[in-house]
Amino acid sequence: MNPSAGSKKRKRAVVVHQNEFEEHVDTSKPTAVFAPTKGRKHTVSVAIPGSVIANALTHDQKTAVAGQIGRALAVSCVDEVVIFNDGQNHKYKGGQDHRNQGTVNEDDHTGWTDPDHFLYHLLSYLEVPPFLRRTLFPFHPNLRTAGALPSLDMPHHLRANEWCPYREGITLDNRDFTEDHYDGGKGAAPQTKRTKKSTEFGLALPDDSPNYTLIDAGVPQKIKVPVSIPPNTRITLKLSSTLESSRITSTENIGSTAEPVHPATPREEAGYYWGYTVRRSNDLSSVFTECPHDGGYDLSIGTSERGQRLSHVLHGCGNESSQKGTSENDGGIERLPANWNHLLVVFGGPSGVEAAVSADKELMAAGVKEAKDVFDAWVNICPGQGSRTIRTEEAIWVGLTSLREFVIQRDET
């Protein structure tokens, strides 16, 4: 038998198998498209100290760290991110550059002077749908290289030809689309100009009432809603369920089938993940006291290498008996409750969550002895780590991935 002949037959068989596979599986497009199932009232929040940015050495490194964090938040469907001051930023201001050429002088952005703001700014920018960024975020040195960051590509970052019952948009100045605009507001312009401008966007503008607003929602035509909203305001729209996906790119006026809604409506009504909100807090205690939800966060998790193993506190979280508390069978380990409304996960900076607790005057005045006493659970998200340290941007990925199944179980209840 000729060995080379057998080898050729095997190669041909592999080629045939690959061809059959390629005919049935299209790997050129992503298949993990977010598919909502039902409305979701509960939320997931993450708190991160700005010192994670202060610890980076250059503008590009700071931007890259923000990009990694933004990707982790998007992939894990985080609803809120809180940037808090852990009292450690002063340790990194005016740090040394990677060439050891002396003190870095980057006064053109806030990465050194106010790292909390820098992280807040970058994460806010990344969350906004791309077509809105130019209007909502004027050029700023903080965003100098933000355009090179990986896209978050969240469900509300819709393309012009994609259909969704909800859309993000920005309000326009009605004067740009009325007769007064063409005559400097001093009188009526020729009718031809008004007709040309209105028909360009498929709109029939009312002559007898100014109580309407035009919205750019990333589709070819402008959307008109029967309420007056100031220009350059970001707005969430709900489109009528009777509107066919094929009509979204037509020149037909769909203003009558759209209405402004609360930004949480896509999540609460239909279960869409609709991006995250960003807020700042002066310290760790303010993360809790300034919570936007009635009743605050009913489940808080602090992360530390000195905490309990996350797998221990999550054990049996889907069982009916899995309520917060301890039992003899658990060996005294406190389990996380299966039913919660607002989850908060706190990550530490280079000095850990413990440093944030020690620097918090409110917590110290309240007599807090140990950092773990601030939280419902004090966990180690990566026991037995091989590296001496885990960077915060890495800890966020590891922690949120480890908690993902716990969150999904809550989604399904």
Side-chain angles (χ1 to χ4, degrees):
M1 178 177 178
N2 187 350
S4 61
S7 176
K8 291 181 180 179
K9 290 182 179 179
R10 285 193 296 271
K11 289 181 179 179
R12 285 197 295 269
V14 171
V15 172
V16 172
H17 176 72
Q18 289 177 341
N19 291 337
E20 292 177 351
F21 177 81
E22 292 173 356
E23 290 178 359
H24 295 86
V25 180
D26 180 8
T27 60
S28 63
K29 298 180 180 179
T31 56
V33 178
F34 186 91
T37 55
K38 60 180 180 179
R40 174 171 64 90
K41 298 288 186 180
H42 57 278
T43 62
V44 177
S45 300
V46 167
I48 309 167
S51 59
V52 64
I53 292 296
N55 191 42
L57 298 178
T58 67
H59 179 277
D60 288 348
Q61 289 180 1
K62 295 175 188 294
T63 302
V65 169
Q68 292 180 52
I69 293 174
R71 285 287 301 173
L73 300 175
V75 170
S76 300
C77 299
V78 171
D79 303 297
E80 178 196 35
V81 56
V82 189
I83 311 302
F84 69 96
N85 190 333
D86 62 355
Q88 309 302 306
N89 288 339
H90 64 281
K91 292 183 178 181
Y92 311 103
K93 286 183 179 180
Q96 302 295 313
D97 69 11
H98 66 286
R99 298 178 299 269
N100 296 320
Q101 294 178 349
T103 301
V104 176
N105 182 16
E106 296 189 85
D107 296 332
D108 59 340
H109 66 90
T110 61
W112 293 112
T113 58
D114 190 353
D116 297 343
H117 172 267
F118 184 89
L119 183 56
Y120 172 91
H121 198 177
L122 266 291
L123 291 180
S124 299
Y125 172 85
L126 290 173
E127 186 276 336
V128 170
F131 78 94
L132 297 178
R133 290 174 180 170
R134 180 171 295 184
T135 303
L136 295 178
F137 289 87
F139 176 78
H140 189 279
N142 284 351
L143 307 175
R144 188 176 68 204
T145 57
L149 291 175
S151 172
L152 301 193
D153 206 16
M154 293 181 283
H156 64 303
H157 290 193
L158 294 162
R159 282 70 167 173
N161 61 343
E162 291 179 324
W163 165 254
C164 182
Y166 305 90
R167 271 189 173 266
E168 291 293 291
I170 188 167
T171 58
L172 304 174
D173 191 338
N174 287 357
R175 293 175 300 176
D176 294 340
F177 303 92
T178 59
E179 292 177 345
D180 290 344
H181 172 70
Y182 295 97
D183 196 27
K186 299 179 181 179
Q191 182 67 24
T192 55
K193 290 188 177 181
R194 178 186 184 278
T195 304
K196 177 181 179 181
K197 197 67 177 181
S198 61
T199 56
E200 178 182 351
F201 296 101
L203 298 173
L205 301 182
D207 295 324
D208 56 346
S209 174
N211 294 324
Y212 66 93
T213 301
L214 300 180
I215 300 174
D216 180 2
V219 293
Q221 76 283 18
K222 300 300 181 281
I223 296 176
K224 182 176 63 180
V225 294
V227 292
S228 180
I229 306 173
N232 297 328
T233 301
R234 181 179 174 179
I235 191 170
T236 303
L237 294 173
K238 180 180 181 181
L239 306 181
S240 172
S241 59
T242 60
L243 195 62
E244 300 291 340
S245 60
S246 59
R247 292 171 59 191
I248 198 69
T249 57
S250 69
T251 57
E252 182 178 355
N253 175 23
I254 63 173
S256 60
T257 59
E259 62 174 327
V261 295
H262 190 277
T265 300
R267 168 178 56 83
E268 295 181 349
E269 284 189 356
Y272 281 97
Y273 172 56
W274 212 245
Y276 53 79
T277 60
V278 191
R279 67 180 176 95
R280 291 182 61 180
S281 292
N282 291 329
D283 47 36
L284 180 58
S285 59
S286 298
V287 174
F288 292 89
T289 59
E290 297 172 357
C291 175
H293 308 296
D294 293 338
Y297 303 107
D298 54 351
L299 178 58
S300 61
I301 300 176
T303 59
S304 170
E305 62 182 9
R306 287 162 284 278
Q308 299 177 355
R309 293 179 62 173
L310 180 60
S311 58
H312 287 174
V313 298
L314 292 181
H315 176 69
C317 64
N319 300 333
E320 294 181 359
S321 60
S322 172
Q323 298 298 324
K324 185 183 176 184
T326 60
S327 67
E328 296 180 358
N329 295 333
D330 293 336
I333 296 178
E334 191 170 88
R335 308 298 186 187
L336 296 182
N339 295 318
W340 46 268
N341 295 314
H342 303 292
L343 169 65
L344 172 68
V345 185
V346 179
F347 294 93
S351 300
V353 178
E354 294 87 346
V357 174
S358 300
D360 195 307
K361 297 179 180 180
E362 294 294 332
L363 294 178
M364 292 296 99
V368 175
K369 301 297 183 183
E370 297 184 72
K372 65 179 182 179
D373 298 333
V374 178
F375 307 96
D376 297 316
W378 185 240
V379 303
N380 183 356
I381 57 174
C382 189
Q385 63 195 56
S387 175
R388 182 176 301 177
T389 58
I390 297 179
R391 302 178 66 88
T392 302
E393 60 270 28
E394 298 168 342
I396 294 172
W397 270 110
V398 175
L400 294 180
T401 301
S402 302
L403 286 167
R404 188 62 189 144
E405 185 64 29
F406 174 68
V407 174
I408 290 177
Q409 288 181 0
R410 178 63 181 87
D411 293 343
E412 294 174 347
T413 59

